[in-house]
Structures are given as C-alpha cells and as structure tokens.
Amino acid sequence: MTIPFYVAPEQLVRDKAEFARKGIARGRSIVGVDYSGGVLLLGENPSTALHKISEVYDRIAFAGVGKYNEFETLRKAGIRQADLMGYLYSRDDVTAMGLATAFAQTLGMIFTRDPKPFEVEVLIAEISEDGDEHRLFRISYDGTLYDERNFVAIGGKAEQLTEALEELWHEGMSLEEAFTAGVESFRRVEGRESEGWEAAVLDDSNGRRAFRRLDVDQFTEV
Amino acid sequence: MGPLPLDVPVPGASFSDLLEIVGASPVFSIPEGATAPSAPEGTTVLALRYPNGVVIAGDRRVTEGNLVAHRRIRKVFPADHYSAIAIAGTAGLAIDMVKLFQVELEHYEKIEGIRLSLEGKASFLARLVRNQLPLAFQGLVVVPLFAGYDERLEFGRVYSFDVVGGRYEEIDFGSTGSGSRLARSYLRTAYEDDLTGDDAARLAVQALVSASQEDTATGGPDLRRGIFPNVVRIDSDGVEELPDNVIAPIAESALETIR
C-alpha cells in the first residue's frame, strides 16, 4: 500500500495560486472604464469570432480573461443563473452584486475543491436604472471579490493597467474619451500597437438591454 | 443567489430545457375525467404582411363566458428585436407562454451570441404550444400567432398555429381567436399586395373593428375609456409598438365608417 505524500495546506494553496496566475498571465487583459452614461469594456482580441465580453442581463455585462473554455463555462452559467432568477421572480431582482457573489462562490469552491483551479479572472459590470450609478466587480481565480470604482482591469497586466488608468481617467468622460484612455493604457503597458480590439458598452441610451458591442474601427479612425 | 448552475447538463442554449432540469417548469397532473374551471379567454388577434415588413395587432378584451373579464389586457407582445407574438385562448396560460418565449429567445441570443432564425423561433413556439396539449383536452387552449422580419431573407413573415402545435406559414395574413374568421373575411376583401406600413396598420385596426361588430368577445375601440387595439409593426429597423396617439385616429375613423 502506498502512503500519499503529505502536502501542507499552505503549500497546496500557494502552488494552486501560482499555477492559476501563470495561466492567466498567458492571456490578454481587459479593462472596464466608467464614463458619463455608461461603462466601457475593452480588451485586446485579434479574433472577431471568440468573444471575451458578453451581455449577461438587461444592465449587466461580463468579461473574462484566461483560459477561454473556462471563462466561457462561467459566462454561460452566469447567463443561466440570471435568466432563471429574472424569470422566476422579476427582472429587477437580478443584480450584479448577486451575480458577482455567485461567481465568487463558484470560483472559490473550484479553487479549494478541484485539483486544478480555473485559470480565469472575471469582471462584472452594471449600470443602474437611471444610468448614473455604475458598479464594477472583479473576481479572481480563487473567488476573491473586489468592488472597484471608476475603472478596473483584469488579467496578467491588471496591476500596470490600473496604474496607467489612474493617470488617464477623470470624472465625466465621454465614451470617446473613455475609449481613448483605455487604448492608451494598453499602449503604455504593452509598448506596442494592438492586433485588434474587442469593445462593448453598457449604455443608458440603449433601452432595456443596455449592452451593445462597439464597432471598433469607427472609434480608432477618430 | 447560490453558486452558479455549473454542473447543469443543459444540452443546448434552451431556457425551457434549463427550467425543466432545475425543476421549475410547471407539471400538470390532471385527474381522469376532471373538468377544467372556467378561466378568462383572450380573443381576436391578427397579422398581415406588407412588402417591407409585417403588422401584428389584437383587441384588448378578455372574456369569461358571456362576461367581460378584462377590458384593457395586452395580447400582442414584442418577442425580440425582430419578432412579435400575439395570443388567443386561456389568458393566464397564454401570457405565461409569451413570457417564456421572450426569455427563451433572449437566452439563446446571449448564450450563442447570435439570434435564432425566424423559422427557428416559430418552430420553438410550436413546441411550446404542443407542450400544452394535455391542458387543451381540458378545454384550456392557447393558440398564438407569430410574426417577424426575417433578417436573412429580408421580408416579413406570419405564422399561425393550431391547438396541437401545428405551424402554418401564411402568405398574406393570419388570425386566431373568436373573431378571427370575421377579421379574416374583412382582410380577404381589403388586402392589397402593395401596402405601406401605415396602410397595413390601418387595415389591421379596421379588421379588428369589423370583427368587434359581430363577435361579442372581441372588444372594439373604447373611446370613452381611451382603450385602443395594440398594434406592433416590424420591418428591417426592428420591432415598433405603435402608440395610442397613432392608433386612436385610425380607430375613430374606422368606427365612423363601419355599418
């Protein structure tokens, strides 16, 4: 009979965290930027078919970085959860806070229970009914939930992007300004031109379903 | 909110399948030989095509036997950006079917990142009707009418259904509900191939007014209470609900000219 090796829990958690961080660092980052009237989600994505940013509910959007199949699983589960809640109760009962908690719980459970943690970071954005109040939640691979203000970044370069955005962001930006700030933050951090952007907004002017994908060419020309 | 339903073995992007799996879809077990309680019934709805799109409309009355149960119910609903659904039959069940249908279309669109084809939406609706079949034997019948703009083929289409979930595409117009025959015979003489969107909306209201003159279950425009038919127009720009201030003058002139 073989006796399994004893691994201290501290070691186990450290190893898993390092593994997850490495996986996330391989992918590209995404930023969320507040502007007057909405939230912009922007990331480098050369593919026009595989999306990292998606609509979840009327006023809630999702963005994921890391391993595609893993955050895609989470995205779909989030949509299922949101649509179930909204159908069984009321559309008003679906909130980013509730969803972010559910994502956090799920990722936390996977991190402790499964041999391999998810190599993902997730961003949940929401705009309030009147469009004035914006919420940005960031959930890391181990289920830690962060409530962010004004701007947020997820992915391997999150820290540098946040630093760049701290300088670039200011109150009352227009969508164009927010887009420019987002692009500039990537340029500073990556030190090169992007191969393609994926961008979407939650904007008050879009009616009940506030989510809309942006035609990036239109913006980059300006 | 608990953890996400990560392990739910949903085969595809269907919301109603998900409901079933989590045990939230209604289960009917009706005892043998039971008779259904009388439930309010929605009446006349119709849809007609015109070259650039389609108009779908309905009266506002719900009846219970020979009584008016509700005067200002809504029977025509936008289903998504390019389609709308109208309902006739047991109102409570029908309105729930509409809600499920709307969520289903949006759910599919979000999960798959692309809208269902119009044909796909109609097929799914037929499935919802067929699921109600056990209730239909109890006299609780729901028959929808579906209209939309086909984004791929670029024209408006109308689908009518029967009680067992049969789906029939109409080439010019379709209707369902108690006054549907009267509305159809009006349309049969008034319909033309080169209608504009405004013409189609006017024709829809006139047909409803016409039906309301013979069928007591169909509610005509109620000028005193300000109740007018619901009319939804769908073309390449998407779905648009026509507001009362547009419908009111059409309804008034239809009432004036009718004999």
Side-chain angles (χ1 to χ4, degrees), chain B residues 26-54:
Chain B
V27 178
F28 304 109
S29 65
I30 299 152
E32 193 83 16
T35 49
S38 81
E41 286 195 28
T43 46
T44 314
V45 293
L46 59 89
L48 62 146
R49 295 178 56 201
Y50 63 95
N52 294 326
V54 57

Side-chain angles (χ1 to χ4, degrees), chain B:
Chain B
M1 227 183 262
L4 300 171
L6 215 54
D7 302 328
V8 174
V10 187
S14 171
F15 180 74
S16 44
D17 288 352
L18 174 65
L19 270 188
E20 216 164 286
I21 288 162
V22 302
S25 65
V27 178
F28 304 109
S29 65
I30 299 152
E32 193 83 16
T35 49
S38 81
E41 286 195 28
T43 46
T44 314
V45 293
L46 59 89
L48 62 146
R49 295 178 56 201
Y50 63 95
N52 294 326
V54 57
V55 159
I56 181 164
D59 75 314
R60 307 290 295 273
R61 183 172 290 180
V62 163
T63 57
E64 203 175 332
N66 62 335
L67 301 174
V68 175
H70 301 281
R71 289 175 204 289
R72 46 177 98 231
I73 221 85
R74 219 166 106 106
K75 301 182 212 168
V76 185
F77 304 83
D80 68 354
H81 193 63
Y82 282 109
S83 67
I85 174 174
I87 41 136
T90 311
L93 295 173
I95 288 166
D96 213 53
M97 183 188 284
V98 169
K99 189 177 156 193
L100 181 57
F101 186 57
Q102 287 168 327
V103 176
E104 177 77 34
L105 298 190
E106 194 184 308
H107 188 77
Y108 182 95
E109 188 185 333
K110 289 190 291 196
I111 294 270
E112 295 292 319
I114 186 171
R115 265 189 285 273
L116 269 173
S117 66
L118 195 68
E119 192 77 21
K121 294 173 201 173
S123 296
F124 179 79
L125 185 55
R127 200 181 115 191
L128 286 185
V129 176
R130 192 165 300 125
N131 286 349
Q132 302 267 355
L133 196 58
L135 289 175
F137 281 106
Q138 304 289 313
L140 302 173
V141 173
V142 178
V143 182
L145 187 66
F146 181 61
Y149 184 80
D150 194 317
E151 292 170 78
R152 296 168 203 195
L153 301 176
E154 299 183 340
F155 55 76
R157 301 171 83 168
V158 173
Y159 296 90
S160 58
F161 298 82
D162 65 22
V163 73
V164 295
R167 167 171 64 98
Y168 311 94
E169 183 166 2
E170 305 285 353
I171 52 164
D172 35 29
F173 49 82
S175 69
T176 179
S178 65
S180 60
R181 277 192 198 161
L182 296 159
R184 259 203 313 273
S185 32
Y186 181 88
L187 289 173
R188 210 170 290 291
T189 51
Y191 187 84
E192 284 165 45
D193 286 327
D194 55 351
L195 298 169
T196 65
D198 291 343
D199 291 340
R202 199 189 64 243
L203 219 54
V205 173
Q206 285 170 344
L208 286 172
V209 169
S210 175
S212 73
Q213 303 303 304
E214 302 276 328
D215 174 36
T216 54
T218 304
D222 190 332
L223 303 184
R224 189 176 66 79
R225 294 190 180 89
I227 304 171
F228 301 102
N230 288 129
V231 183
V232 169
R233 191 163 73 191
I234 313 153
D235 57 21
S236 56
D237 292 333
V239 64
E240 182 198 5
E241 287 182 80
L242 301 184
D244 273 356
N245 60 25
V246 172
I247 299 304
I250 306 175
E252 274 172 45
S253 72
L255 278 177
E256 269 164 31
T257 50
I258 204 138
R259 289 182 182 277

